Amino acid sequence: MAWVRDWVRSSPGTHIWLLVIGITSLVIASASEGLGQFLVHRTSSNIHQLNEHPLPSLLISGFWIERPSSFLLYVVMFELLHANVERWTGTTRWLLTVGGAHIAATLASQELVLLAIEGHRLPRSMTHVVDIGVSYGLAAAAGLLTYRLRPPWRYGYLAGVLIFFGIPLLTGATFTDFGHAIALTMGFAAWPLTPAAAEGPPPEEHGRDPAGPAAEPPPGRDPESRQER
């Protein structure tokens, strides 16, 4: 249908990312258990892989999910978050935000793991923890999307996002939960990259649509063994 084609064309980065995740999920689903375990460890952005292959592990880890059965859920999340942010800010600014958040949150969370290992609070085996997934980018997109919504919807959405990411952080947080908090904060901090920022202070202070006059309305954890995100 025409509207589907137009939607995909308006957010190409989101859908290319989804396509790659779909392919890698099929690879995991069709691989033997041993091969599947090898792949998720080899593509992880854990301490071992960051030391051995820093750039590839940072980039590749964002294109794999450990449970292929979760792919449809990620499709929904990508369409609700990434696609709307990409359409609003443009592909370059969207990629700068979510890509930067993925890299920063990965490095910061793995530094926390390293400090915990050195302080004997985590076993040394955590240097090989499975750390793959796309949730850091999703957290950044969720933060940035706050500015796309109009009051009072913005405040309800903001409260929901803070509760969703805040509860795990306050109740036995894992390194992934810290990563989510970092990525979400980077999403909030990316306000200057939005079209509405060109209008001045946050839109509610002027009573304006946060998306600007030309914007379109939006369409409708075992912590010591593996952390998919």
Side-chain angles (χ1 to χ4, degrees):
M1 292 182 287
W3 71 268
V4 174
R5 183 179 63 250
D6 292 341
W7 175 257
V8 172
R9 287 179 175 176
S10 69
S11 49
T14 295
H15 293 93
I16 292 173
W17 195 356
L18 265 180
L19 176 61
V20 176
I21 294 172
I23 294 171
T24 58
S25 296
L26 285 175
V27 171
I28 292 292
S30 59
S32 65
E33 183 177 355
L35 178 57
Q37 290 298 312
F38 170 79
L39 288 172
V40 297
H41 279 86
R42 184 63 180 81
T43 57
S44 290
S45 51
N46 53 37
I47 294 171
H48 174 75
Q49 292 298 333
L50 286 172
N51 284 332
E52 296 291 325
H53 316 284
L55 290 179
S57 65
L58 277 173
L59 298 176
I60 296 173
S61 63
F63 292 96
W64 294 77
I65 57 176
E66 190 178 353
R67 300 175 182 85
S69 59
S70 302
F71 177 68
L72 291 181
L73 173 62
Y74 283 114
V75 170
V76 174
M77 298 299 290
F78 268 56
E79 298 296 349
L80 290 176
L81 298 174
H82 282 312
N84 277 296
V85 171
E86 184 179 1
R87 294 181 76 224
W88 182 42
T89 64
T91 299
T92 300
R93 295 181 179 185
W94 161 79
L95 184 59
L96 180 62
T97 301
V98 300
H102 170 79
I103 292 172
T106 298
L107 293 175
S109 62
Q110 289 301 314
E111 181 65 23
L112 287 174
V113 174
L114 180 60
L115 292 174
I117 292 173
E118 292 176 344
H120 306 289
R121 295 187 300 274
L122 285 177
R124 189 158 295 277
S125 60
M126 285 292 287
T127 58
H128 295 272
V129 67
V130 173
D131 184 33
I132 59 175
V134 299
S135 65
Y136 292 160
L138 283 168
L144 188 55
L145 189 62
T146 303
Y147 305 116
R148 179 69 176 86
L149 303 176
R150 301 179 182 180
W153 305 108
R154 176 183 303 156
Y155 308 124
Y157 170 84
L158 177 59
V161 167
L162 292 176
I163 290 171
F164 182 83
F165 289 105
I167 289 179
L169 190 64
L170 298 174
T171 56
T174 66
F175 71 86
T176 301
D177 297 321
F178 283 105
H180 287 151
I182 293 167
L184 180 65
T185 301
M186 291 186 67
F188 290 144
W191 155 259
L193 297 179
T194 66
E199 299 178 3
E204 65 268 23
E205 298 181 11
H206 297 289
R208 297 179 181 176
D209 182 341
E216 300 177 22
R221 245 168 359 145
D222 166 295
E224 291 193 1
S225 59
R226 51 180 74 243
Q227 292 288 327
E228 181 189 356
R229 48 180 175 73

